[in-house]
Amino acid sequence: TGKRAFIAGVADENGYGWAIAKSLAAAGAQILVGTWVPALNIFESSLRRGKFDESRKLKDGSLMEIAKVYPLDAVYDSPVDVPEDVKTNKRYAGATNWTVQEVAESVKKDFDKIDILVHSLANGPEVSKPLSETSRKGYLAALSASSYSYISLLKHFLPIMNQEGSAISLTYIASERIIPGYGGGMSSAKAALESDTRVLAFEAGRKKRVRVNTISAGPLGSRAAKAIGFIDRMIDYSFTNAPLQKELHAEEVGNTAAFLASNLSSAITGSVIYVDNGLNAMGVGI
Ligand code: NAI
């Protein structure tokens, strides 16, 4: 209640970022989102045209308000890092101030401070290739978009985070167990993200008592997951084999994020929290 959240990685109503925004809004937080530049126009026009209104509904009947949508490309830290071909690309030319540093500056100018930072984005151009067939470029791109993007966000947003704030990211169990099909270095990227969660928890904790945790979520048929290609099989597998044989709702991840953002979790930092119907605890599928 009374807190302000910046959620990076919301571009439609189907992903974890949207569900987290809803749970935080339901708990009384003000919502700011960062939307990938190439997805910005369609997201904003769909919002304006009421396409998401059904899904904006909160339990009390009110509609989630998004105070501001910021264009963001978390692969670029500041304007000097943006290559010429991206600058002039027509999908980027219409937007301004979308590097991580500039977005943090804009949020500071508009709202001064935030309490909650959420990283709900990932990208691996070679995700459909096995790790052993991944190019150096594809591997580094996966790490840049999916892991370093979090370090960069925290680096630039920590100075505008209130004391005792909370930072949350989304990870996947492919970091620690073999999940064939989650390739292109995405498994490596999630392993880095989880390790970084611990180190960043130390650094942000000592600096500002900000807590840093990551949610290891079960499979959800989001836009990003559908692009990987095996999501339906993973959802079926989880349904069959997890301790809880039920659908995993994005809202359940959203509610966990709301808990991690709240003072109810005031002693939890540096943790990987599983929200996966318990699938992580199984040794074999049965
Ligand atoms: P999603 O498609 O809703 O979210 C991914 C977002 O990342 C998209 O909005 C996309 O526009 C954005 N994005 C990609 N590159 C970007 C960049 N360079 N800068 C800014 N934004 C960028 O899909 P989903 O699945 O909800 O993903 C959110 C997080 O959840 C990701 O970290 C993902 O790895 C994680 N996750 C997803 C699972 C699933 O089964 N869907 C399972 C476990 C973790």
Side-chain angles (χ1 to χ4, degrees), residues 4-262:
R4 183 176 297 120
F6 180 83
I7 304 163
V10 179
D12 61 37
E13 58 185 338
N14 301 316
Y16 282 133
W18 178 269
I20 291 169
K22 278 180 75 174
S23 293
L24 292 175
Q30 184 180 37
I31 305 300
L32 318 176
V33 305
T35 301
W36 196 32
V37 186
L40 180 73
N41 281 339
I42 174 110
F43 179 63
E44 284 199 303
S45 67
S46 302
L47 254 185
R48 243 191 338 264
R49 293 201 326 263
K51 212 185 139 222
F52 302 139
D53 283 0
E54 196 48 45
S55 145
R56 280 172 61 210
K57 265 210 191 98
L58 304 176
K59 287 261 149 61
D60 69 359
S62 68
L63 295 189
M64 166 173 71
E65 289 299 333
I66 298 178
K68 190 156 177 181
V69 177
Y70 293 88
L72 168 71
D73 193 322
V75 160
Y76 305 108
D77 304 311
S78 69
V80 296
D81 301 317
V82 182
E84 209 46 48
D85 61 317
V86 174
K87 243 180 257 173
T88 54
N89 184 312
K90 67 175 191 312
R91 297 198 300 170
Y92 284 77
T96 52
N97 298 329
W98 42 258
T99 65
V100 176
Q101 183 196 315
E102 293 168 293
V103 175
E105 285 166 1
S106 302
V107 171
K108 180 179 165 62
K109 188 143 50 70
D110 296 340
F111 296 97
D112 195 30
K113 288 277 176 17
I114 65 166
D115 303 283
I116 302 159
L117 175 67
V118 179
H119 175 281
S120 182
L121 63 97
N123 200 9
E126 296 182 17
V127 65
S128 52
K129 284 191 195 162
L131 183 59
S132 51
E133 288 166 27
T134 298
S135 72
R136 183 183 301 267
K137 195 168 166 227
Y139 182 92
L140 294 176
L143 270 285
S144 173
S146 314
S147 315
Y148 188 78
S149 56
Y150 190 43
I151 299 180
S152 181
L153 275 171
L154 198 59
K155 171 179 175 176
H156 291 96
F157 277 84
L158 192 60
I160 65 160
M161 283 182 84
N162 285 318
Q163 286 275 329
E164 296 178 20
S166 173
I168 300 161
S169 67
L170 274 298
T171 187
Y172 185 47
I173 194 161
S175 59
E176 43 175 328
R177 300 278 185 269
I178 302 163
I179 311 280
Y182 198 72
M186 279 308 299
S187 56
S188 329
K190 291 307 193 189
L193 184 70
E194 291 173 23
S195 177
D196 296 343
T197 295
R198 293 181 280 273
V199 178
L200 295 170
F202 170 73
E203 295 175 6
R206 292 295 173 92
K207 256 190 217 150
K208 292 192 100 167
R209 280 212 201 165
V210 164
R211 296 180 294 106
V212 183
N213 293 292
T214 188
I215 296 173
S216 187
L220 174 77
S222 64
R223 184 188 170 93
K226 283 183 180 143
I228 302 172
F230 70 158
I231 190 65
D232 292 333
R233 254 195 310 131
M234 289 297 118
I235 291 172
D236 286 347
Y237 181 89
S238 178
F239 196 98
T240 307
N241 297 295
L244 303 178
Q245 293 184 306
K246 64 170 192 64
E247 191 185 335
L248 175 68
H249 299 282
E251 184 187 359
E252 297 175 292
V253 168
N255 289 343
T256 304
F259 164 70
L260 288 174
S262 80

